[in-house]
């Protein structure tokens, strides 16, 4: 959930003393020349947090909404570390309509569900529609000559599973972790639910590692979505073994 002071969603307490990028820095070397993808970059807040933890990384930041993209591009003008790309991501290449909502950070390829208005008010009402380019991550990587992506962050307002479907090759060839928003109730029509994303990633060798934030809305404070981190199973097993080995002398 891209946050704004205008969004009427309650942000739940962070469930750990550190965020997803701190968790990732315990798994990936912080000084490595990693390749990251920020899908649904908005104005680049998360891209900057990635660089704060991984200063030698390259972040490919995808944002389809024209006005928001210009803010993203301006923010990182002259930077070699963040590469803004004006496009939506999905399962295949082409064009798609994106609904620009009252709060631009909630804009989506998918129409807002009636529940969205109940939980988030006018922030999720569509103000206009833009026709934008959509591409698959595998297609983009092939055309850009990128062989691997180490980390994939996805915040695309219910369209997360389509992004993952378009990244099959990358997921098989080096992605270490996926940090994704996941809907817990249908805020966008036809949105993938948390269980859909979890099953998809489990089927490709990833395990749920942490649910880092949860969000709720409405008078009943219903849980609407969460942000969660999945890690490749073999990498996670090695990470856990290392942590346990470090803890053993202290326990003794």
């Amino acid at each position: 959930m891209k946050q704004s002071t205008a969004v009427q969603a309650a942000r739940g307490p962070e469930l750990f003393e550190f965020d997803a990028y701190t968790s990732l820095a315990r798994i990936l070397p912080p000084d490595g020349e990693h390749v990251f993808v920020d899908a649904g970059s908005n104005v680049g807040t998360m891209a900057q947090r990635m660089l704060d933890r991984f200063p030698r990384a390259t972040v490919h930041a995808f944002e389809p909404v024209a006005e928001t993209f210009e803010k993203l591009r301006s923010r990182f003008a002259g930077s070699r570390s963040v590469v803004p790309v004006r496009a939506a991501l999905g399962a295949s290449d082409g064009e798609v309509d994106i609904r620009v909502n009252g709060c631009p950070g909630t804009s989506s390829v998918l129409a807002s569900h009636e529940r969205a208005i109940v939980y988030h008010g006018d922030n999720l009402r569509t103000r206009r529609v833009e026709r934008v380019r959509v591409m698959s991550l595998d297609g983009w990587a092939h055309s850009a000559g990128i062989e691997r992506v180490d980390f994939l962050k996805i915040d695309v307002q219910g369209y997360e599973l389509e992004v993952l479907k378009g990244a099959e090759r990358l997921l098989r060839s080096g992605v270490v972790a996926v940090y994704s928003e996941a809907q817990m109730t249908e805020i966008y029509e036809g949105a993938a639910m948390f269980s859909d994303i979890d099953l998809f990633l489990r089927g490709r060798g990833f395990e749920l590692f942490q649910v880092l934030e949860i969000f709720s809305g409405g008078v009943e404070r219903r849980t609407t979505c969460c942000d969660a981190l999945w890690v490749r199973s073999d990498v996670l097993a090695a990470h856990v073994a290392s942590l346990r080995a470090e803890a053993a002398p202290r326990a003794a």
Side-chain angles (χ1 to χ4, degrees):
M1 174 70 72
K2 299 183 182 77
Q3 290 301 291
S4 162
T5 55
V7 175
Q8 299 170 0
R11 176 179 176 176
E14 293 190 2
L15 305 180
F16 298 94
E17 66 272 23
F18 39 80
D19 65 9
Y21 307 107
T22 304
S23 286
L24 187 64
R26 291 156 60 93
I27 298 170
L28 283 175
D31 60 350
E33 295 182 356
H34 305 298
V35 178
F36 291 172
V37 163
D38 183 1
S41 188
N42 199 12
V43 297
T45 302
M46 294 300 106
Q48 185 59 60
R49 287 174 74 175
M50 293 176 200
L51 292 179
D52 290 343
R53 288 290 178 183
F54 298 90
R56 299 180 67 194
T58 298
V59 181
H60 298 272
F62 291 80
E63 174 54 48
V65 177
E67 184 178 357
T68 307
F69 177 78
E70 288 306 316
K71 293 177 181 177
L72 171 69
R73 183 163 62 177
S74 176
R75 179 174 187 167
F76 294 105
S79 172
R80 295 185 178 181
S81 298
V82 176
V83 183
V85 183
R86 192 191 167 198
L89 290 170
S92 59
D93 298 342
E95 291 187 341
V96 70
D97 288 335
I98 189 161
R99 294 156 177 84
V100 183
N101 294 334
C103 175
T106 69
S107 301
S108 178
V109 172
L110 304 175
S112 297
H113 192 279
E114 60 184 13
R115 289 194 188 117
I117 309 305
V118 173
Y119 295 145
H120 306 299
D122 288 344
N123 298 299
L124 269 82
R125 291 190 191 277
T126 298
R127 302 303 188 194
R128 66 181 186 276
V129 175
E130 293 182 9
R131 191 73 175 170
V132 300
R133 177 175 54 153
V134 61
M135 60 177 67
S136 70
L137 275 172
D138 283 346
W140 160 78
H142 177 75
S143 63
I146 293 173
E147 294 296 325
R148 77 174 206 288
V149 169
D150 300 292
F151 173 68
L152 175 56
K153 168 257 175 183
I154 315 174
D155 186 355
V156 291
Q157 310 305 298
Y159 212 59
E160 289 79 13
L161 187 58
E162 294 304 303
V163 176
L164 289 169
K165 288 177 180 177
E168 289 273 14
R169 183 185 66 80
L170 288 173
L171 289 170
R172 292 194 305 268
S173 62
V175 174
V176 170
V178 176
Y179 182 47
S180 179
E181 180 176 276
Q183 306 291 305
M184 309 295 278
T185 189
E186 196 174 15
I187 298 300
Y188 298 91
E189 294 182 4
M193 296 290 104
F194 176 89
S195 57
D196 300 319
I197 295 169
D198 184 56
L199 286 171
F200 182 92
L201 286 170
R202 285 182 181 276
R204 285 146 187 84
F206 291 80
E207 292 183 34
L208 178 65
F209 181 38
Q210 295 170 337
V211 176
L212 288 125
E213 295 186 71
I214 54 175
F215 303 85
S216 61
V219 294
E220 74 275 28
R221 312 317 301 159
R222 180 169 181 169
T223 299
T224 58
C225 65
C226 69
D227 292 336
L229 180 66
W230 285 262
V231 178
R232 184 173 294 282
S233 296
D234 57 342
V235 174
L236 182 57
H239 174 58
V240 171
S242 175
L243 291 176
R244 289 177 177 169
E246 290 176 9
R250 294 195 295 270

